[in-house]
Amino acid sequence: MEQIFRDKHEPRLFRLEAGYTLGVMSYSRSERLKCQEIYHHAITIGEKQPKNSKQERLEQKKMLMLTPGGEQTQKTMKELMDVVLKDCQNNLNGLNKSTTVRSASSLERTVNEATAGGDPPQKRTHVMPIGRGGTSLSNEEINNLIDVGGLQCDCCKCKSKKLLVCQRCKKAYYCSAECQKKQWRENGHKLHCRKDGEFKAEDLVQIARLKNKPELNDKIVRVVGPDKNNEGRYEVRMEGSVKGDKSFSIAAGNLNQLRPYDCRK
């Protein structure tokens, strides 16, 4: 499927459908940023004009379809492409959603419930537990924690231009080289930009793909630093932790990077 999606010689309808499916698969694995990259690429494929008259004629040909009721109908490739393109756009917009906040020690309660073998807490997606120490983040910053970006320039907030992407972190978007330079030098992107798989102390990250304690998946926590006793793992804690609160050791492969702080403000 990945090969079809990336192959420029395949019909655009097939590439769009492959991209949509790959995006859904990435989301199901909690790979939100990979999902976002796939949808952006799929939308670019769908919005392009046919490259020649042969491709245009192909996309105007009608295809025989079966409705959910079993009836036959005909639609052109272009009509089917428009449906898949809209689905990709809707799913991309859905990746930019609010974060649910949970108060005082909810992460510890979740761990204790899981350890004790009790009933798991109700499933909630993209939760940020906040401890007794509170948080300096504003409500807007909390709401933007899981945004994948790509809808506007992260510097000037312009929405009307095709956006450039930071080649280091692949998570920051700009309408021009001037905005990219300003964000890097003046707005803090130089401090917060991370390569794929790179984590530093005080970064906010999302726990994902845990099998032994799935109740922790989707929780947003703060990195303390590398686990000194276990290579390849990081010590993390709840936002707003105070002295005496527990920290947890999580493998790097079970941590998802969020967008850089400067891009979420």
Side-chain angles (χ1 to χ4, degrees):
M1 193 173 299
E2 180 78 32
Q3 184 176 352
I4 293 173
F5 181 50
R6 304 292 178 183
D7 190 346
K8 295 181 179 180
H9 300 291
E10 290 284 353
R12 290 199 297 164
L13 173 61
F14 297 170
R15 296 182 69 195
L16 261 178
E17 289 180 331
Y20 175 81
T21 304
L22 287 169
V24 171
M25 293 168 62
S26 294
Y27 186 84
S28 70
R29 296 192 294 263
S30 298
E31 297 171 348
R32 291 175 56 81
L33 291 165
K34 182 177 180 181
C35 176
Q36 168 258 358
E37 184 273 329
I38 291 171
Y39 282 139
H40 270 301
H41 187 51
I43 290 168
T44 300
I45 293 170
E47 289 181 340
K48 283 183 178 179
Q49 295 297 318
K51 60 183 179 181
N52 52 46
S53 58
K54 181 179 178 181
Q55 186 182 64
E56 186 174 8
R57 289 194 301 271
L58 174 66
E59 292 177 0
Q60 290 304 321
K61 283 188 175 182
K62 290 191 174 182
M63 301 178 66
L64 186 64
M65 308 290 296
L66 286 176
T67 67
E71 298 179 358
Q72 292 186 353
T73 184
Q74 288 187 337
K75 288 188 177 182
T76 66
M77 269 195 175
K78 182 63 171 63
E79 289 174 326
L80 295 172
M81 282 172 52
D82 289 342
V83 173
V84 183
L85 178 60
K86 185 177 180 179
D87 288 340
C88 289
Q89 290 167 334
N90 288 340
N91 283 6
L92 178 61
N93 290 336
L95 287 171
N96 292 287
K97 292 182 177 179
S98 296
T99 304
T100 302
V101 176
R102 296 179 73 174
S103 59
S105 303
S106 57
L107 181 59
E108 289 186 12
R109 288 200 302 273
T110 300
V111 174
N112 291 336
E113 288 165 355
T115 304
D119 293 334
Q122 184 179 359
K123 174 66 176 176
R124 300 177 71 181
T125 306
H126 313 305
V127 175
M128 182 180 183
I130 296 179
R132 291 170 290 169
T135 179
S136 62
L137 297 175
S138 67
N139 287 336
E140 183 179 1
E141 289 171 336
I142 291 173
N143 287 338
N144 291 339
L145 281 173
I146 62 168
D147 283 2
V148 296
L151 302 181
Q152 63 183 16
C153 174
D154 288 324
C155 182
C156 72
K157 311 306 179 185
C158 168
K159 296 182 180 180
S160 61
K161 297 180 180 179
K162 184 176 180 180
L163 299 175
L164 308 172
V165 63
C166 174
Q167 291 303 299
R168 187 170 189 265
C169 69
K170 313 277 187 198
K171 300 176 182 68
Y173 296 88
Y174 309 104
C175 65
S176 65
E178 289 73 23
C179 273
Q180 185 172 12
K181 290 176 183 177
K182 182 177 180 180
Q183 191 75 4
W184 181 264
R185 296 171 180 170
E186 301 177 25
N187 295 346
H189 192 62
K190 182 178 181 180
L191 177 64
H192 301 290
C193 185
R194 303 278 187 269
K195 294 184 291 186
D196 185 40
E198 181 182 12
F199 303 100
K200 293 186 178 181
E202 296 303 314
D203 283 355
L204 285 170
V205 294
Q206 189 177 43
I207 301 173
R209 298 174 294 278
L210 283 178
K211 294 181 179 179
N212 59 336
K213 293 180 181 176
E215 295 82 4
L216 293 180
N217 288 333
D218 299 322
K219 304 299 184 293
I220 294 174
V221 293
R222 197 172 286 277
V223 174
V224 177
D227 186 333
K228 297 178 181 179
N229 299 317
N230 297 283
E231 186 176 355
R233 299 178 69 90
Y234 286 83
E235 186 181 353
V236 301
R237 58 176 171 80
M238 185 190 339
E239 175 72 350
S241 292
V242 296
K243 186 176 181 179
D245 288 342
K246 291 181 180 179
S247 61
F248 308 91
S249 178
I250 305 288
N254 293 111
L255 295 176
N256 285 343
Q257 292 173 315
L258 301 179
R259 287 228 301 150
Y261 172 72
D262 62 287
C263 301
R264 303 193 306 261
K265 292 194 293 183

